[in-house]
Amino acid sequence: MYSAIELKELTIKPKINDVSLEVLREFYEIFLYPFIYTYKIKKNKESTTIAVRFNSKNFCHLLGVETIAKNAVKFSELHNYRGEDGWNNIKNGKLDIKHLKALNKKRFLSVKAKYVYFYLIPSLLEKPLAVNYDKNKVMPPTNIDCELLFYSTYDNAVIHLGLEKENGEEYYFPRTFFVEKLSQEGDKDIYIDNQEKISVTKEHRIIMI
């Protein structure tokens, strides 16, 4: 089992048995949560600067933890698999991959790629490609929604980080993280194809005090 530090240094993706929810949580806490990332974005010759940061309440959602638990636990218990409660349950050892598999193995397998590619998010944030995302342009139709979609390719996969500005907030937060496998070179990513490409350049990574 890799530690969070070892995960950051990997040059090939880990196997699912080499990671745990707690290691991914620690990874997030060390390498993503403490920082504010600023980017210059150019659309139609106009430039703007945005700031991106991470919070603990979105962690479970990025890994599809609540999705696995839905319809497998009582509605009144779902809070244990999302937000701050989910974060704390992972931290205190009440929630792990073994438990999620027992709840719904098929659904866990459908999101497994998130767990093995999660370690690439810091690299993605350094040199992202980006589109101005509109889910209505995706075919077949999707429920995945966000305002901006950062992405990067890795071997035969595209990793995506969807960002959105929350009401009343000055920062963009990650709303979704997902992986699209490409069966062969030249295949199109349906989440990127037909979207408006935008230029994005990282300016700063600032540690929050």
Side-chain angles (χ1 to χ4, degrees):
M1 186 75 67
Y2 292 116
S3 68
I5 303 298
E6 289 169 336
L7 200 60
K8 180 68 167 57
E9 300 302 318
L10 289 183
T11 56
I12 58 172
K13 72 177 186 291
K15 295 179 180 178
I16 189 63
N17 292 332
D18 291 332
V19 297
S20 69
L21 268 178
E22 172 56 10
V23 165
L24 294 178
R25 191 203 63 78
E26 288 181 355
F27 180 91
Y28 186 93
E29 188 173 48
I30 295 169
F31 298 111
L32 296 170
Y33 180 78
F35 303 103
I36 298 171
Y37 295 82
T38 60
Y39 298 90
K40 179 175 284 186
I41 289 180
K42 290 184 180 179
K43 299 186 204 176
N44 301 321
K45 297 183 179 180
E46 293 185 2
S47 295
T48 186
T49 298
I50 70 165
V52 177
R53 60 172 294 190
F54 293 76
N55 55 32
S56 52
K57 71 178 183 179
N58 285 346
F59 175 74
C60 286
H61 183 70
L62 294 180
L63 287 173
V65 173
E66 182 183 355
T67 298
I68 296 167
K70 276 183 178 177
N71 301 321
V73 303
K74 295 177 182 178
F75 179 79
S76 61
E77 297 176 0
L78 267 181
H79 68 93
N80 290 312
Y81 300 86
R82 65 186 176 203
E84 297 291 349
D85 286 346
W87 172 269
N88 290 328
N89 283 332
I90 294 169
K91 189 173 183 177
N92 63 30
K94 291 181 180 178
L95 189 53
D96 56 22
I97 287 176
K98 183 179 179 181
H99 176 70
L100 295 179
K101 284 182 178 178
L103 283 181
N104 192 325
K105 186 174 182 180
K106 184 177 180 180
R107 192 163 287 176
F108 173 79
L109 292 175
S110 74
V111 299
K112 185 180 76 170
K114 295 172 181 276
Y115 293 66
V116 297
Y117 285 94
F118 196 80
Y119 79 105
L120 289 172
I121 293 179
S123 298
L124 167 62
L125 291 166
E126 289 300 312
K127 292 183 178 180
L129 299 171
V131 295
N132 207 26
Y133 181 77
D134 180 355
K135 75 172 187 177
N136 295 315
K137 294 181 179 180
V138 180
M139 292 299 294
T142 179
N143 290 323
I144 293 174
D145 199 7
C146 60
E147 184 179 338
L148 301 173
L149 191 60
F150 282 9
Y151 67 97
S152 182
T153 58
Y154 178 86
D155 288 347
N156 64 331
V158 183
I159 59 172
H160 309 77
L161 189 67
L163 305 172
E164 194 156 285
K165 199 170 187 179
E166 295 186 3
N167 290 335
E169 295 283 357
E170 59 181 307
Y171 302 106
Y172 281 78
F173 291 91
R175 177 172 178 175
T176 185
F177 171 67
F178 62 99
V179 181
E180 181 75 357
K181 295 290 188 69
L182 305 178
S183 58
Q184 59 187 14
E185 190 174 344
D187 280 357
K188 291 183 178 180
D189 177 354
I190 63 171
Y191 301 97
I192 304 303
D193 195 33
N194 298 324
Q195 302 287 348
E196 177 193 359
K197 300 286 196 303
I198 56 178
S199 171
V200 56
T201 305
K202 194 196 87 171
E203 294 187 320
H204 304 289
R205 187 185 73 156
I206 307 162
I207 191 164
M208 292 186 291
I209 300 175

